[in-house]
Amino acid sequence: MSIHLPLVKLRWIALFIGLALLTVFVEMAVVRSAAFSQRAGQLAPGVIFDLIVGIPLLFYLFVVRRFGLSIRSLLFVLGGAMVVTMLILPRNQFHLIGLLRNGLLVVELTIAGYVLTQIRHILRHYRQLQAINPDFVINMQASLDTVLGRTALNRILVSELSVLRYSLFGWWAPVEKIEADSVFTTYRKSGQVALTVGIILVGLIETAGIHLLINRWNPTAAWIATLVGLYGLLFLVADLTASVKRPVLVRNDHVLLRFGLRGQVYISKEHIKRVDSIRDKPTPSPETMNGTLLSTPNVLLTLWNLTEARGPLGSQRSVRRIALFVDDKDEFIDKLTA
């Protein structure tokens, strides 16, 4: 399932969120009413039932069944419902709160055990794939999809893990290729390194200035803005590292186009209709993908048919034309047209 969900599925997610929020607001109104203060012993169990049973039930009906998710995903929603219930119930309901805390502890331990088990399976599958083809993004995505099932959440998780890996540890990792690959770099002559480093330095100064400015008004908002800004800069570092470690590869009868953490396309040579040398960005269109960042592409691939391309956060789209910058442009074109 791609992150570009059909409108019908988005409607079911929106319906669940709306009903869950409505349930929470209704129960908050009940707890704050005069009737609840007079008959808390009789009404509190009903509030607990509506939140702890009602919200997971809504999640099952509108999300689990519609998307084919595992029943185990209900554990996470149940844990969240318990936290909300503990926040809503008044403190004088000590015995009920105690039961909720014990129940929440059981749920947390169950979730922790499940997560640890799945992580072990994911890492084992990842190591098997890594021994064959060293590509972190592709192998991690395949491992999550195999162990947990194909979901949009997996793609988001892979995206976040990739940002952390390439920004913090990526410079020490080897180039992700196999011996038989023909490697084509995309960063040496494009100016991407210098421009990205410049933007990061300017961004650090601006982030510090914005923090000091907002801090006079609201310290919490200042830290939130700072964290958002730092995450954006961290993504730029990760994308630059990935551009170096994940070059474009030509292997036998296939081509793997990789654009940092911004996307990738795996296509067969026989699906390539034309390979042109260009000097400007192609005209934007839904079927055109521009794989460059802070530079101008110099190669344009035109395909016979639409093919699937991955974008940021694992998003997917169908493209017929792909623009990119390759350092050794002439050799790359010769490889694809030979």
Side-chain angles (χ1 to χ4, degrees):
M1 179 178 59
S2 72
I3 197 169
H4 289 300
L5 298 173
L7 184 59
V8 174
K9 290 188 176 182
L10 285 175
R11 185 173 62 187
W12 289 115
I13 294 177
L15 184 58
F16 161 70
I17 295 175
L19 291 176
L21 290 176
L22 179 62
T23 302
V24 172
F25 289 141
V26 168
E27 300 307 327
M28 289 177 62
V30 170
V31 169
R32 295 178 180 179
S33 66
F36 185 88
S37 61
Q38 297 173 0
R39 295 186 297 168
Q42 292 78 25
L43 296 179
V47 172
I48 295 174
F49 180 86
D50 291 342
L51 293 172
I52 293 182
V53 177
I55 292 179
L57 180 60
L58 291 173
F59 182 76
Y60 173 77
L61 294 175
F62 295 117
V63 179
V64 173
R65 290 182 58 185
R66 302 290 176 178
F67 291 83
L69 299 181
S70 171
I71 296 295
R72 290 170 292 188
S73 60
L74 285 173
L75 289 174
F76 297 91
V77 179
L78 177 60
M82 284 185 171
V83 172
V84 172
T85 305
M86 292 174 61
L87 295 175
I88 290 178
L89 278 180
R91 295 299 178 184
N92 57 4
Q93 300 294 319
F94 289 117
H95 62 290
L96 294 177
I97 292 177
L99 292 175
L100 283 178
R101 286 175 178 168
N102 293 335
L104 182 59
L105 178 61
V106 173
V107 172
E108 289 176 346
L109 292 176
T110 303
I111 292 176
Y114 169 73
V115 169
L116 290 175
T117 301
Q118 298 307 305
I119 288 177
R120 183 168 58 85
H121 293 326
I122 291 170
L123 291 177
R124 182 173 60 187
H125 192 269
Y126 172 81
R127 294 190 188 99
Q128 293 173 351
L129 296 177
Q130 194 74 356
I132 301 173
N133 182 25
D135 187 300
F136 175 81
V137 177
I138 295 176
N139 293 340
M140 183 56 67
Q141 185 67 66
S143 300
L144 288 175
D145 289 345
T146 300
V147 177
L148 303 179
R150 292 174 59 87
T151 66
L153 294 178
N154 289 349
R155 285 157 176 76
I156 296 174
L157 180 59
V158 169
S159 178
E160 299 305 316
L161 290 174
S162 299
V163 170
L164 293 176
R165 179 188 188 273
Y166 288 102
S167 61
L168 302 179
F169 312 106
W171 288 111
W172 293 273
V175 175
E176 298 177 5
K177 66 179 185 65
I178 58 177
E179 187 175 352
D181 289 332
S182 296
V183 179
F184 294 90
T185 57
T186 62
Y187 65 92
R188 299 182 187 275
K189 301 177 182 179
S190 64
Q192 180 185 352
V193 175
L195 290 171
T196 302
V197 171
I199 291 176
I200 291 172
L201 293 177
V202 173
L204 288 172
I205 297 174
E206 290 183 346
T207 300
I210 292 174
H211 176 85
L212 294 175
L213 181 63
I214 300 179
N215 190 62
R216 298 179 179 178
W217 167 65
N218 189 314
T220 302
W223 280 110
I224 292 175
T226 300
L227 291 175
V228 172
L230 290 177
Y231 179 83
L233 298 178
L234 199 66
F235 177 85
L236 289 177
V237 174
D239 181 74
L240 177 59
T241 307
S243 298
V244 176
K245 302 299 182 178
R246 306 182 73 230
V248 172
L249 303 178
V250 179
R251 53 177 56 158
N252 297 328
D253 56 349
H254 286 80
V255 184
L256 178 56
L257 306 176
R258 300 186 290 190
F259 314 118
L261 295 183
R262 288 163 283 113
Q264 62 189 38
V265 190
Y266 189 66
I267 53 179
S268 172
K269 285 184 180 180
E270 64 182 13
H271 291 161
I272 301 176
K273 181 180 180 180
R274 292 175 53 187
V275 185
D276 298 310
S277 175
I278 59 175
R279 295 184 177 181
D280 299 310
K281 293 181 180 180
T283 303
S285 72
E287 295 184 356
T288 301
M289 180 180 187
N290 185 0
T292 60
L293 176 68
L294 306 175
S295 61
T296 302
N298 60 1
V299 176
L300 178 65
L301 275 65
T302 303
L303 309 180
W304 288 103
N305 302 303
L306 291 172
T307 190
E308 182 183 279
R310 288 277 174 84
L313 293 176
S315 59
Q316 296 176 335
R317 56 185 293 202
S318 296
V319 299
R320 193 185 302 272
R321 301 196 304 165
I322 307 166
L324 68 154
F325 184 93
V326 182
D327 292 327
D328 298 323
K329 176 183 64 174
D330 295 333
E331 182 182 351
F332 180 68
I333 293 176
D334 290 341
K335 274 283 185 181
L336 298 187
T337 58

